[in-house]
Amino acid sequence: MLTPNPARGEVVVPLAGSPRRLCLTLGALARIEAILDLDDWSALPERFGRLSARELLAVLAALLEGGGEDPAVLDAAPVSVPEAVAAVAAALAACA
């Protein structure tokens, strides 16, 4: 069983049929900024309002890597859009 470290901003969410650990690390943040072509973190809320499905999965992959998970799980099992949105929201809320 996965146990999140709340002091680190980790969350455990159901994803692709299993519990997965997500975390917004500095590395994940840098990847997300690059994926979304952002100049800085402050532009993220507005940009999240118009994510493509590909961008959503890329953000989710960065958060999985930040949590020490293999983002290849996203290729191995289907993830619904609501499931992906909920997982990303939970990860961002954990570090707020």
Side-chain angles (χ1 to χ4, degrees), residues 45-69:
E46 185 275 326
R47 184 66 175 82
F48 263 26
R50 51 187 174 86
L51 287 181
S52 69
R54 182 179 310 216
E55 290 168 333
L56 176 60
L57 284 178
V59 168
L60 189 52
L63 294 169
L64 281 163
E65 285 181 329
E69 298 276 346

Side-chain angles (χ1 to χ4, degrees), residues 5-96:
N5 180 348
R8 191 170 171 252
E10 292 178 349
V11 294
V12 174
V13 297
L15 195 63
S18 298
R20 305 287 178 191
R21 181 179 291 122
L22 304 175
C23 187
L24 182 62
T25 62
L26 286 176
L29 177 57
R31 283 189 293 281
I32 291 168
E33 286 178 342
I35 291 161
L36 301 180
D37 195 30
L38 299 175
D39 291 328
D40 63 57
W41 176 248
S42 66
L44 187 63
E46 185 275 326
R47 184 66 175 82
F48 263 26
R50 51 187 174 86
L51 287 181
S52 69
R54 182 179 310 216
E55 290 168 333
L56 176 60
L57 284 178
V59 168
L60 189 52
L63 294 169
L64 281 163
E65 285 181 329
E69 298 276 346
D70 183 355
V73 301
L74 298 174
D75 297 327
V79 176
S80 70
V81 172
E83 183 180 30
V85 168
V88 169
L92 295 178
C95 66

